[in-house]
Amino acid sequence: MTDAISTPVDLSQHYRLAETNEERSQFLFHHYNRQASLFENRLYAVAAKTITGYKGDYMEYATAENGLGFLFPKSSTNLTVSTIDGYGAYTLPPEIVGILCTALATLIMVEQADKLGLADDQHDAYIKSYEHLIAFGKKLAIEAGVEREYFELTD
């Protein structure tokens, strides 16, 4: 486990939160269309499996400066996260943890494309979203001083 400071670096200048009930209710549909509820289920399952102590807590809905949507656990402290297989234990800001979980849930949607009946253009859009989420997460990880930990989780 890393010895990172428990107070997250302020990364809020890189995203905008969905603040109203209307924004929150339309957020997932806007980013995941008909698969919104399927994506949300996968996201919460990924979070429960990768974030130490996560039990379905409140998630913030955020739009990154590049237009991508991601969710992250509302937390005033850094969170400990591992790979989906339980390897490693790294302490990162909640936004970066959420980007990792959102990217992984998106990748699971890609892997289940046939089962979910995704059209080729949806499949390709999810792959592109995954790649952009990983790149955006790396940018924030560099700013937060946790690039090595981020690399260990995404390599």
Side-chain angles (χ1 to χ4, degrees):
M1 186 180 325
T2 60
D3 294 330
I5 310 170
S6 63
T7 304
V9 173
D10 182 10
L11 300 170
S12 63
Q13 70 272 19
H14 298 290
Y15 61 86
R16 187 182 84 66
L17 290 178
E19 295 180 5
T20 68
N21 287 338
E22 183 178 345
E23 287 177 317
R24 286 180 63 84
S25 68
Q26 295 178 6
F27 183 89
L28 288 174
F29 183 78
H30 173 73
H31 292 285
Y32 289 93
N33 302 312
R34 294 176 314 171
Q35 289 78 29
S37 64
L38 297 171
F39 169 77
E40 186 176 32
N41 290 338
R42 282 152 182 79
L43 176 75
Y44 280 94
V46 165
K49 196 162 185 176
T50 60
I51 304 170
T52 301
Y54 184 78
K55 305 273 191 261
D57 306 330
Y58 183 86
M59 288 274 192
E60 295 282 10
Y61 293 57
T63 302
E65 57 198 2
N66 61 9
L68 289 172
F70 67 100
L71 284 75
F72 65 92
K74 184 174 186 172
S75 178
S76 60
T77 62
N78 285 330
L79 302 169
T80 301
V81 64
S82 64
T83 67
I84 194 82
D85 297 321
Y87 297 110
Y90 302 98
T91 304
L92 303 171
E95 295 93 338
I96 296 172
V97 170
I99 291 166
L100 288 166
C101 290
T102 303
L104 188 51
T106 302
L107 186 59
I108 291 169
M109 297 284 285
V110 168
E111 290 173 348
Q112 297 175 347
D114 290 338
K115 177 182 170 185
L116 299 173
L118 295 181
D120 288 344
D121 61 332
Q122 290 173 307
H123 177 269
D124 295 345
Y126 287 167
I127 290 173
K128 199 172 280 279
S129 290
Y130 169 79
E131 292 169 346
H132 289 290
L133 282 163
I134 293 299
F136 179 62
K138 180 180 178 183
K139 174 184 173 177
L140 297 189
I142 291 168
E143 185 170 324
V146 292
E147 182 180 9
R148 183 188 64 77
E149 294 86 346
Y150 187 78
F151 175 78
E152 292 291 331
L153 289 163
T154 58
D155 182 40

